[in-house]
Amino acid sequence: MVEINDKYIEKKGATGSKTKEEPAPKNIVVANSIEESSEGIDIADRLKEEKILEADIEKKGDDLEIPIMIQIKNLSKWYGKHKVLKNINLSVKTGEVVVVIGASGSGKSTMLRCINFLEKAQKGIISIDGKEISVKSKKLHLIRQEVGMVFQHFNLFPHRTIMGNVIEGLVKVKGMSSHEAIERGKKMLDKVGMLEKADTYPSMISGGQQQRVAIARALAMEPKVMLFDEPTSALDPELVGDVLLVMKKLAKEGMTMIVVTHEMGFAREVADRVIFVDEGEVIEEGAPNIIFDNAQNPRTKEFLSKIL
Amino acid sequence: MNNWDFSVIPKYFTSFMPYAWMTVQVTVFGLLIGLVLGLGFALLRLSKLKILNYPAKAYIWAIRGTPLLLQLLFIYFGLVTIVVIDKIPAACIALGIHNGAYIAEIFRGSIQSVDRGQREAGLSLGMTSGKIMKNIILPQAFKRAVPPLGNQFIIALKDSSLASAISVGELLLHARQLGSSQYQLMEMLTIAAIYYLFMTTVLTVISNLVEKKLKVSDNKSTI
C-alpha cells in the first residue's frame, strides 16, 4: 500500500513539480495532504483512501494527470457599483476537497453560488468538467444537474416527505420511475443515516437531520461535484458533528467538493487545499497545514488569529 | 308599523331552494373563472419580463378600482352593441373578472411568501423555472392562499346577490319579488339571510378543514 502511495506521489511529481516553493503547487498539494492525513486518520480509513487512489491511478492510465473538474478564470461580479468578486481564479481537480474560508461578506458564498449559476458573474469563465459554460446559456438547468449544492438553511421542500425530497429531482428532472427513484433514495438516505425517517416531514426532524437529508437529496442526482455553502452555520453546536461526519465520508469516497465553512477543524482534517478569500479576492491558498500554521499574507494571519 | 309575521317563514322557505341553487351556481362558475384569471394574472404580475407585468397591473388596477355592480352592468348592458351575453353567463363572467383581480393578489402574495431558498434548491437539482413553479412553489403557495381564498369565496358568494340587478333569478331577487308581491319583504329578506348564513357557514367550515388538512407537513418550523 505504501508503495502505491509513493508511486502516486512520484507520478504526480513527474507531471508537476516536487518542491513546495514552486508556483504551481496543485499536484503537490494532493500528495501533501495524503502525507499529512496519515497522522490524523486511522489505519482503516487510510487503507480505504489508498484503495481509492489506486483505482484512480489505474483508471487514469500512466501519463495522465487528474482532470480538472472546476476551472474559474478571472471571475468578477458586481452588485450595482459594488464589486463583490475581483478576478477570482480557481481550479479544482477531480476528487479534490477545497475548503473556502473568509470573513462574512468576503464573497466566498457568492463565489460558490456562481459555480452553479445561482448568481451570475458579469465577467470571467467557468468550466465544469472541461466544458466552458456561458452565463447566458439556456441550458443551465442541465449543468446544475451535475453540480450538487447544500445550503446553509437546508432548503428542504416542506410539502414533501424526507423520501419525497430525495426523489424529487430523480423523478421530475431525470424522469426516473418512482419505484427506481425510491430504491436509490433509500440508498442515499441510508448513507446519511436518515433512512428511518423516510416517511416523516422536514418540520419533524432536527436541523442536523434536515441537513443530512439535503446532502442525500443532492447526492441522489449523482453530481460530479458538491458545493457546500456554510452547511453547519445554522445548526446548534451539538448537531454539527453528524453533518461533518457525513461530509468526511463523502470526501473519503473521492467526491469533488468545494466547502465554504467556518469549521476550521474540518478544514484541517479533510481539505486538500484551503483558500482564504477576503474582499472578493483569493488572498492565499495552500495545504491546510500551510495556511493554518504558516500563513504568509498578513490578512490571512489576521483572520485566523480572530477565529482560531 | 310592526306587522311582521315571521310565522310565514316555514311556508315560503322551500320556495327559495331553486334560487339558492342559482346563487351557488353563479358563485361557483364565477369563482372558477376568478381562480383561472387570478392564477394567470398573478404569474404575469410576477414574471421577470416587464412587458408581461403591465397588463396584469392594469387589470388589477381597473377591476379593484371600480364597483362590481358597474362591472356587471358594463358586461350585460354596456357590451350589448358588440356582443350579447345572456344574463346568467354575464353574471358569472362579471363575478369571475371581479374576483380574479383579488385572487391574483392573493396568489401573488402567497407565491412571494415562499422562501427564495425553495427556488434555489429546485434550481440546484437541475429543475427549470416552470417545473419549480409547478412542483415546489405553487403547492406551498396554495397552502398559504387557503385562508385568504376562503375569505374571498365568502365575499364572492355574497356579491353574487348583485346579479339581481340584471334580474338573474338568485336568492335576493326572489326575496325582493316575493316580498313585494306578498307585502312581507322583511320576512322574505330574513329567509334569504338564513340561506346566505347557512352557505357562508358551510364555506367557512370547508375552508377551516382544508387549512387543517394541509397543515400536516408543517406543524412547526425548526429554523
Side-chain angles (χ1 to χ4, degrees):
Chain A
M1 283 311 196
V2 174
E3 230 178 73
I4 291 155
N5 202 351
D6 287 344
K7 196 174 137 200
Y8 176 71
I9 293 165
E10 222 174 82
K11 193 168 298 144
K12 300 326 295 169
T15 52
S17 56
K18 281 195 174 177
T19 48
K20 287 174 190 172
E21 290 77 22
E22 292 280 332
K26 275 154 205 155
N27 301 331
I28 280 296
V29 168
V30 177
N32 260 344
S33 71
I34 292 159
E35 282 173 345
E36 288 306 317
S37 62
S38 61
E39 290 166 17
I41 301 171
D42 66 52
I43 308 237
D45 287 343
R46 191 159 170 232
L47 289 177
K48 202 171 163 194
E49 193 165 24
E50 281 165 0
K51 258 184 203 157
I52 291 162
L53 287 175
E54 189 179 8
D56 228 14
I57 290 163
E58 275 170 13
K59 203 168 64 189
K60 301 279 150 40
D62 272 340
D63 50 352
L64 279 176
E65 256 187 270
I66 299 179
I68 288 171
M69 180 57 76
I70 304 273
Q71 177 97 52
I72 301 175
K73 279 183 193 159
N74 298 322
L75 194 76
S76 293
K77 177 166 177 63
W78 290 259
Y79 286 131
K81 279 184 180 167
H82 180 55
K83 195 171 185 181
V84 285
L85 294 178
K86 301 168 187 163
N87 281 322
I88 300 264
N89 286 291
L90 175 69
S91 66
V92 179
K93 286 173 182 292
T94 305
E96 197 179 7
V97 177
V98 172
V99 169
V100 184
I101 59 171
S104 52
S106 60
K108 56 193 192 310
S109 282
T110 309
M111 181 183 90
L112 196 73
R113 291 160 59 85
C114 282
I115 296 174
N116 70 348
F117 303 92
L118 287 183
E119 301 278 352
K120 288 172 184 171
Q122 285 92 343
K123 242 182 80 184
I125 296 167
I126 295 172
S127 309
I128 296 172
D129 201 18
K131 278 172 286 183
E132 189 179 316
I133 294 141
S134 160
V135 174
K136 288 181 187 129
S137 166
K138 294 276 175 221
K139 292 182 175 167
L140 289 180
H141 60 282
L142 297 177
I143 309 301
R144 293 196 190 100
Q145 288 180 37
E146 303 185 337
V147 183
M149 180 134 187
V150 174
F151 301 89
Q152 183 176 358
H153 293 291
F154 335 130
N155 298 352
L156 291 182
F157 306 130
H159 60 302
R160 297 268 193 265
T161 61
I162 299 308
M163 181 58 86
N165 267 274
V166 177
I167 66 171
E168 182 78 16
L170 297 175
V171 175
K172 299 280 157 53
V173 178
K174 295 209 174 204
M176 210 179 252
S177 73
S178 61
H179 176 75
E180 209 182 337
I182 287 171
E183 283 310 304
R184 192 191 287 183
K186 279 180 184 165
K187 274 183 210 153
M188 294 303 146
L189 284 174
D190 192 36
K191 195 168 185 169
V192 299
M194 289 300 298
L195 189 53
E196 286 166 35
K197 302 276 186 182
D199 296 327
T200 58
Y201 284 93
S203 60
M204 296 166 183
I205 58 176
S206 76
Q209 291 175 323
Q210 287 190 50
Q211 192 61 298
R212 278 146 61 196
V213 173
I215 293 173
R217 177 176 69 178
L219 285 178
M221 298 297 286
E222 294 182 325
K224 290 177 177 170
V225 52
M226 286 281 284
L227 310 176
F228 294 83
D229 189 5
E230 302 203 26
T232 57
S233 298
L235 297 177
D236 291 336
E238 76 272 20
L239 301 175
V240 169
D242 287 343
V243 173
L244 291 182
L245 212 64
V246 169
M247 290 167 65
K248 278 177 206 168
K249 207 162 109 186
L250 260 187
K252 269 182 215 151
E253 285 170 7
M255 175 61 80
T256 311
M257 293 163 64
I258 305 180
V259 185
V260 170
T261 187
H262 294 292
E263 294 291 332
M264 297 303 153
F266 174 83
R268 198 182 265 272
E269 190 182 334
V270 182
D272 296 314
R273 188 149 48 105
V274 173
I275 290 178
F276 173 64
V277 176
D278 194 28
E279 292 179 1
E281 282 176 288
V282 173
I283 301 293
E284 193 164 0
E285 60 178 298
N289 61 318
I290 294 172
I291 294 288
F292 289 120
D293 304 329
N294 196 15
Q296 299 302 311
N297 192 293
R299 278 148 88 181
T300 317
K301 281 183 194 165
E302 195 199 333
F303 172 74
L304 290 171
S305 72
K306 278 181 197 157
I307 55 154
L308 287 179
Chain B
M1 171 196 151
N2 196 342
N3 52 358
W4 299 337
D5 179 12
F6 288 107
S7 66
V8 302
I9 288 179
K11 186 177 156 200
Y12 290 104
F13 198 81
T14 49
S15 81
F16 279 70
M17 283 296 253
Y19 301 94
W21 177 234
M22 179 57 75
T23 291
V24 170
Q25 280 176 304
V26 170
T27 307
V28 168
F29 283 109
L31 281 174
L32 285 178
I33 297 169
L35 283 167
V36 173
L37 288 177
L39 182 58
F41 279 105
L43 293 175
L44 287 183
R45 179 76 178 75
L46 290 168
S47 169
K48 272 185 199 159
L49 289 172
K50 283 261 156 61
I51 303 171
L52 297 179
N53 298 163
Y54 294 122
K57 278 184 185 170
Y59 165 72
I60 292 164
W61 169 76
I63 298 302
R64 287 204 307 185
T66 52
L68 172 57
L69 185 55
L70 183 146
Q71 292 159 11
L72 200 63
L73 299 176
F74 198 93
I75 288 171
Y76 186 57
F77 296 118
L79 293 182
V80 88
T81 51
I82 309 169
V83 56
V84 180
I85 306 174
D86 225 24
K87 57 189 178 184
I88 296 170
C92 294
I93 293 168
L95 206 62
I97 291 175
H98 183 78
N99 280 283
Y102 289 93
I103 293 173
E105 286 295 88
I106 290 172
F107 280 152
R108 178 170 75 99
S110 57
I111 288 170
Q112 280 178 326
S113 76
V114 175
D115 184 61
R116 246 175 83 93
Q118 292 292 308
R119 183 182 147 75
E120 290 181 352
L123 285 175
S124 76
L125 288 177
M127 297 175 114
T128 55
S129 286
K131 276 184 185 162
I132 293 171
M133 190 50 93
K134 181 168 161 262
N135 298 303
I136 310 297
I137 310 286
L138 284 182
Q140 296 183 55
F142 279 137
K143 201 186 285 188
R144 289 169 206 204
V146 166
L149 275 183
N151 197 32
Q152 190 61 37
F153 287 8
I154 288 169
I155 293 172
L157 182 93
K158 294 184 293 177
D159 280 354
S160 70
S161 62
L162 285 169
S164 62
I166 55 168
S167 67
V168 172
E170 48 69 72
L171 268 179
L172 190 64
L173 187 84
H174 182 61
R176 287 177 64 190
Q177 285 176 344
L178 203 59
S180 32
S181 65
Q182 306 291 318
Y183 302 104
Q184 288 176 319
L185 188 58
M186 187 59 177
E187 290 82 347
M188 299 310 150
L189 289 177
T190 305
I191 297 176
I194 293 169
Y195 272 95
Y196 277 117
L197 273 173
F198 173 72
M199 289 191 287
T200 51
T201 306
V202 169
L203 269 180
T204 310
V205 170
I206 292 173
S207 161
N208 288 345
L209 282 177
V210 172
E211 207 180 317
K212 213 170 171 182
K213 190 143 187 273
L214 289 174
K215 266 199 176 139
V216 176
S217 63
D218 53 12
N219 41 12
K220 69 180 166 105
S221 169
T222 49
I223 300 170

